[in-house]
Every structure is written in structure tokens, then in C-alpha cells.
């Protein structure tokens, strides 16, 4: 009787809480740290526009599928996939999709926590006026100092992970609500202030051109890898493809509209990413920096602005603090599927489940810590010469690429196939509550096409189609 199925972990206090929590999961380092540097790495405009198309045509429909599966199953993604598959008369092995997602979340959190740690350390740098009137070089040195010191990185990584564990241990509903309700709008306002400052650098128009002109030349040089990166970023930024939004959906009440929620979450998420781009690139151009600064981009650019603008110490401190909060509200969604499973199947208390997973993830994070110093010249695939690029990647870059470019889209394929070909039409129609007309049919078409598109992007990226 799916209609009366209840989650043993409780429910959100209102549909609004779900939207806040899911937006909290979506908005994080992915928007403000990852989006700008990937944009630069992939040459600007073409990447951004492909990303936007992926969000609209793949991201939103797949997010709806993920939420509806979660709400239908009302358990951890692993058990939800199994239960719904059995219910539909199909193979219980679908639960492996849940496991695959748990693994992806685990891998992502391992490095996410390290970058969250960078953010925390920047709260202190800014608060102690380290950036006041600093030059681009000066700001760059502070960054290299930080990432060159494993012990400092480990300390901040530990603080970040500890906080994530504490919030998950208390249940995502407790700590989360306040954090998201006040911190997210505050972060949004801070970004607006940053964008306003960036308009004074004189490079705003150039930034608009850089971000929004579809530059066919750049695209032609690297079509496959740019499209793959843009699609991966869409999955990453929306938190889809690994069960995070599914487990949040499992706490969602029946009467909430999955369609409206998904569109709202995606809009908010995309706005934040674009604002981050508009805040950062004018600074890059004004100070003649290389856009392609890699993972340090925001940490090398924004502090210059904070060092110059009136009230910069205050705004800068607030900005990094709010970014750390945004990162926490994302981080907890990365381990919630695993925690929910341990609670359901191993009868563990939440606090133990969260601690075990967090600690294991902390250890894995050390690989990322060392990717920026002692192991920065260690490229695990350097022996594979023909793949050139792959041979030059550090462990951090490999984990990041593996998860966002391969695991999440692959998870998305399974979720889409499951929603269309395994679940009954009645079940999905009932969950979506869009009637049986145009809206529902459009959703079905988009979710049917999504796996094909993702497949083509995969093949294209490895050169099969070129
Ligand atoms: N979306 C988050 C961000 O942009 C990161 C994140 C949280 C995530 N949960 C996820 C990414 C699940 C992929 C899957 O920072």
C-alpha cells in the first residue's frame, strides 16, 4: 500500500522545509567554487550555455524522477529502489543503483570537505585583515601557502567534517531548517553585493560577453570534453544522480508538488551559479589574471575585491562564513542516503551511523589534501600516454571527474530508466499529480530522452562519435 507508506526517519515539517533543504543541498561549493573554475577551464560561453540547457532539459526532469521515486519508496535509496522494483514485479537488484549512489556521495564528500575547509580558513584570513589592500600576487601567495600545508588543510578538513557529522547525527530536520532559512538568503544578498562591486571594475561587459556568447571556436576544439563537463556540472550542482534528492524526497509529504519544487530548486541553484560567475570574472579581467586558475580561482580572486571594497573585511568574513554554511547544507545530503540505510538495515543510531561514515570519509579526504602538496606530482594514470589528459590528473581531479562526469550521469540514466520503464504509469502519475495531459507527457518524453542524451555525450567524450 504505497499510499500509506511512512518513513521511519520522519517527515519534513512542511513542503517549504523540503524545498529549503533540497535547495540547501543544491546550492553549495558547486555553484560558487566549482562552476566558475570549470567555466574558465572550458573557455566560457559555450560551456555556460550547454550547462543551462542540461539543467533545463535533463536536470529538472531527472530531479522530478528522483524525488518521486524517493517519496514513493519512503526509505534510503538502496531500500527504496529494491522495494519499488519488487512492487513493480522487477528485479530487486535495482538496489545496486542505490549502492552506486552511496559510493558516489562518499567519494564526493571526501574532497568536498577539504574544499569546505579552505572556505573556513578564509573566514579567518578575511576577519584578520590579511587581504586588506592585498595585490593579486599577495592573495595568490596566501592561497599557495594554505594548500602547501597538509597539516593546516587536515585541521580545517577535520573541523568541516566534524560539523557535518554533528548535523547529520541530530537528524537532517533539526539543524538544517534554521541554517537554510536564514543563511541561504543571506548568501544570496552577499553575492548581489559582490556583483555590484564587480560592476565597478570596468570589466563587467567583458564578463557578460565571456559568460554568455556561444563561442563556437572554443567549442570546436574540445567539443566532447566541454559538453561532458557541462553536463556533469548540471548533475553535480543540482545534487542529482546519487540519491541525495531521493532521500530528501522520501521525507516529503504527499500533497507537495514535485514539479513546482524541482523548478524552484533548479532556478535558485542556477541563479546562484550565474551570480558567482558575474562576481568573479570582472575581478579576473580587471587584474589581468589567467581565468584558468584551476580549483583556486575564487580563493585567488574574491579576496582582492574584499581587500579593496569599503567594509570589505566585514563582507568578506560574512561571505566565506555563509559559503561554509552553504557547503555544510550540501555535505550532509551527501551522506544522508548512507546514514538512512545504516539506520534501517543495521539498526544503528543516527549518531553512530553518521560518525562511522564521516570518519571513513575523512580518511579518504586525505588523498585530496595531499593532491595539493606532497602528491601534487603524483598522476596515477601517467603510464597511459595515449590519453594525454588523464595522465596529467592528480588524485583530487580524478575523484572529482569520476564522480561528476561519470558516476552522477550514470546514476541519472538508471533513475530515468527506472521511472519510465520499471515503475507503472499509474505510480508516476499519482506522485507527480500533473494529470495525464501535456505536462505529464512532456515529462515522460524528457525522461525517456535523457538516458539517450547522456549516452551520446559519454560516447562523444571518449571519441567514439568523432
Ligand atoms: N550540489 C552541491 C553543490 O553544488 C553538492 C552536492 C550535494 C551534491 N549533494 C550532492 C552533488 C549530491 C552531487 C550529488 O555544492
Amino acid at each position: 500500500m504505497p499510499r500509506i507508506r511512512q518513513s521511519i526517519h520522519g517527515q519534513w515539517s512542511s513542503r517549504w522545509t523540503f524545498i529549503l533543504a533540497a535547495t540547501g543541498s543544491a546550492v553549495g561549493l558547486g555553484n560558487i567554487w566549482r562552476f566558475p573554475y570549470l567555466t574558465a577551464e572550458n573557455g566560457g560561453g559555450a560551456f555556460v550555455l550547454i550547462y543551462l540547457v542540461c539543467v533545463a532539459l535533463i536536470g529538472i526532469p531527472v530531479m522530478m524522477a528522483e524525488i518521486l521515486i524517493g517519496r514513493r519508496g519512503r526509505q534510503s535509496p538502496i531500500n527504496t529502489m529494491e522495494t519499488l522494483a519488487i512492487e513493480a514485479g522487477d528485479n530487486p537488484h535495482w538496489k545496486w543503483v542505490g549502492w552506486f549512489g552511496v559510493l558516489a556521495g562518499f567519494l564526493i564528500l571526501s574532497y568536498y570537505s577539504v574544499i569546505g575547509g579552505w572556505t573556513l580558513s578564509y573566514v579567518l584570513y578575511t576577519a584578520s585583515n590579511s587581504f586588506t589592500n592585498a595585490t593579486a600576487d599577495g592573495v595568490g601567495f596566501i592561497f599557495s601557502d594554505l594548500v602547501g600545508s597538509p597539516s593546516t588543510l587536515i585541521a580545517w578538513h577535520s573541523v568541516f567534517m566534524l560539523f557535518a557529522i554533528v548535523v547529520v547525527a541530530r537528524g537532517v530536520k533539526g539543524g538544517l531548517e534554521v541554517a537554510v532559512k536564514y543563511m541561504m538568503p543571506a548568501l544570496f544578498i552577499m553575492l548581489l553585493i559582490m556583483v555590484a562591486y564587480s560592476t565597478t571594475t570596468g570589466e563587467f561587459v567583458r564578463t557578460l560577453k565571456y559568460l554568455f556568447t556561444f563561442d563556437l571556436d572554443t567549442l570546436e576544439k574540445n567539443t566532447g570534453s566541454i559538453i561532458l563537463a557541462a553536463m556533469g556540472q548540471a548533475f553535480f550542482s543540482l545534487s542529482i544522480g546519487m540519491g541525495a534528492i531521493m532521500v530528501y524526497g522520501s521525507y516529503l509529504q504527499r500533497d507537495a508538488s514535485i514539479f513546482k519544487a524541482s523548478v524552484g530548486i533548479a532556478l535558485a541553484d542556477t541563479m546562484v551559479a550565474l551570480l558567482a560567475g558575474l562576481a568573479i570574472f570582472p575581478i579576473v579581467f580587471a587584474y589581468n589574471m589567467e581565468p584558468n586558475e584551476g580549483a583556486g580561482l575564487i580563493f585567488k580572486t574574491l579576496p582582492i575585491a574584499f581587500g579593496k571594497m569599503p567594509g570589505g573585511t566585514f563582507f568578506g568574513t560574512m561571505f566565506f562564513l555563509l559559503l561554509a554554511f552553504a557547503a555544510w547544507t550540501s555535505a550532509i545530503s551527501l551522506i544522508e542516503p548512507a546514514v538512512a540505510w545504516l539506520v534501517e538495515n543495521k539498526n544503528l543510531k543516527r549518531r553512530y551511523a553518521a560518525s562511522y561514515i564521516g570518519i571513513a570519509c575523512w580518511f579518504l579526504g586525505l588523498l585530496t589534501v595531499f593532491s595539493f602538496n606532497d602528491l601534487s606530482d603524483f598522476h596515477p594514470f601517467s603510464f597511459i600516454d595515449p590519453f594525454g589528459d588523464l595522465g596529467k590528473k592528480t588524485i583530487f581531479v580524478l575523484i572529482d571527474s569520476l564522480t561528476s562526469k561519470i558516476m552522477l550521469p550514470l546514476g541519472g540514466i538508471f533513475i530515468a530508466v527506472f521511472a519510465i520503464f520499471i515503475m507503472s504509469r499509474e505510480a508516476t502519475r499519482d506522485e507527480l499529480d500533473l494529470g495525464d495531459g501535456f505536462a505529464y507527457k512532456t515529462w515522460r518524453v524528457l525522461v525517456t530522452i535523457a538516458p539517450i542524451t547522456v549516452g551520446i555525450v559519454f560516447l562523444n567524450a571518449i571519441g567514439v562519435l568523432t
Side-chain angles (χ1 to χ4, degrees):
M1 287 289 109
R3 278 201 154 274
I4 52 164
R5 199 178 277 141
Q6 294 274 338
S7 166
I8 62 163
H9 313 278
Q11 262 197 8
W12 301 112
S13 47
S14 73
R15 75 187 86 162
W16 204 199
T17 320
F18 165 77
I19 294 185
L20 286 173
T23 310
S25 164
V27 175
L29 295 170
N31 311 58
I32 293 172
W33 159 75
R34 199 171 187 275
F35 173 75
Y37 93 81
L38 279 193
T39 300
E41 218 163 75
N42 291 289
F47 171 87
V48 175
L49 294 172
I50 298 169
Y51 160 74
L52 294 176
V53 171
C54 289
V55 168
L57 297 184
I58 303 178
I60 295 177
V62 170
M63 181 186 278
M64 289 168 65
E66 199 173 322
I67 299 173
L68 83 82
I69 293 172
R71 189 167 72 179
R72 197 76 178 172
R74 292 249 184 256
Q75 300 155 71
S76 68
I78 298 168
N79 292 333
T80 284
M81 295 300 282
E82 185 176 20
T83 313
L84 294 186
I86 295 173
E87 205 166 86
D90 214 89
N91 197 317
H93 286 319
W94 277 99
K95 70 166 185 254
W96 290 103
V97 175
W99 278 109
F100 187 69
V102 164
L103 178 65
F106 192 75
L107 288 168
I108 295 174
L109 183 60
S110 79
Y111 74 79
Y112 204 86
S113 168
V114 177
I115 314 292
W118 294 3
T119 312
L120 286 175
S121 74
Y122 268 62
V123 174
L124 277 199
Y125 285 136
T126 327
S128 61
N129 282 320
S130 304
F131 299 124
T132 310
N133 290 318
T135 59
D137 282 344
V139 171
F141 283 135
I142 292 182
F143 180 75
S144 350
D145 260 6
L146 171 71
V147 298
S149 159
S151 55
T152 317
L153 293 184
I154 291 174
W156 289 113
H157 166 47
S158 312
V159 176
F160 188 91
M161 192 65 89
L162 188 72
F163 264 71
I165 294 175
V166 170
V167 179
V168 178
R170 294 183 47 203
V172 289
K173 286 157 237 92
L176 195 65
E177 211 160 330
V178 191
V180 190
K181 211 186 262 169
Y182 299 102
M183 309 288 175
M184 300 297 284
L187 179 66
F188 199 78
I189 293 171
M190 288 305 303
L191 276 172
L192 289 177
I193 295 174
M194 294 304 297
V195 175
Y197 174 80
S198 282
T199 57
T200 68
T201 57
E203 298 288 357
F204 202 70
V205 175
R206 181 161 165 209
T207 299
L208 289 177
K209 281 199 198 121
Y210 179 74
L211 289 178
F212 300 113
T213 7
F214 196 89
D215 172 8
L216 212 56
D217 283 350
T218 335
L219 186 62
E220 266 170 5
K221 269 181 244 141
N222 259 321
T223 327
S225 69
I226 293 180
I227 300 180
L228 181 63
M231 183 181 77
Q233 174 62 13
F235 276 86
F236 185 91
S237 197
L238 295 172
S239 297
I240 54 176
M242 56 77 51
I245 291 294
M246 193 185 294
V247 79
Y248 278 12
S250 75
Y251 310 145
L252 178 62
Q253 37 276 94
R254 288 268 337 158
D255 60 354
S257 158
I258 291 178
F259 171 66
K260 284 189 200 149
S262 303
V263 172
I265 296 161
L267 278 180
D269 187 64
T270 307
M271 292 257 281
V272 173
L274 294 179
L275 284 178
L278 292 176
I280 287 159
F281 286 106
I283 305 171
V284 173
F285 296 136
Y287 290 89
N288 289 318
M289 301 170 73
E290 232 339 278
N292 200 351
E293 283 284 338
L297 182 65
I298 68 158
F299 298 97
K300 294 179 184 169
T301 49
L302 292 180
I304 306 178
F306 293 130
K308 296 233 161 18
M309 64 201 261
T313 300
F314 171 76
F315 287 132
T317 311
M318 286 304 287
F319 176 83
F320 285 115
L321 196 62
L322 292 168
L323 180 56
F325 271 105
W328 269 314
T329 57
S330 301
I332 57 185
S333 73
L334 285 162
I335 41 172
E336 180 65 17
V339 170
W341 183 81
L342 282 176
V343 173
E344 286 162 14
N345 290 50
K346 300 286 157 198
N347 226 340
L348 281 185
K349 292 223 164 51
R350 280 193 73 90
R351 55 174 181 278
Y352 293 115
S355 309
Y356 297 150
I357 294 169
I359 291 168
C361 215
W362 180 89
F363 276 104
L364 191 62
L366 297 180
L367 288 176
T368 292
V369 165
F370 292 118
S371 294
F372 290 94
N373 37 68
D374 298 355
L375 294 179
S376 62
D377 292 323
F378 176 53
H379 307 133
F381 289 108
S382 55
F383 61 92
I384 320 184
D385 249 2
F387 288 110
D389 249 15
L390 190 62
K392 292 189 211 103
K393 294 182 169 177
T394 59
I395 305 179
F396 154 70
V397 178
L398 286 171
I399 298 181
D400 175 72
S401 301
L402 170 71
T403 47
S404 73
K405 293 181 185 167
I406 301 173
M407 296 183 80
L408 298 178
L410 209 54
I413 291 186
F414 285 122
I415 288 167
V417 168
F418 190 82
I420 297 297
F421 298 105
I422 306 298
M423 291 179 77
S424 68
R425 234 172 211 275
E426 290 68 48
T428 50
R429 212 172 27 206
D430 178 40
E431 287 298 332
L432 289 183
D433 205 16
L434 291 171
D436 200 11
F438 179 72
Y440 177 72
K441 291 199 173 108
T442 309
W443 173 79
R444 275 195 88 87
V445 170
L446 290 175
V447 180
T448 311
I449 296 174
I452 304 170
T453 318
V454 175
I456 293 175
V457 174
F458 277 161
L459 293 178
N460 192 29
I462 55 175
V464 175
L465 300 182
T466 45

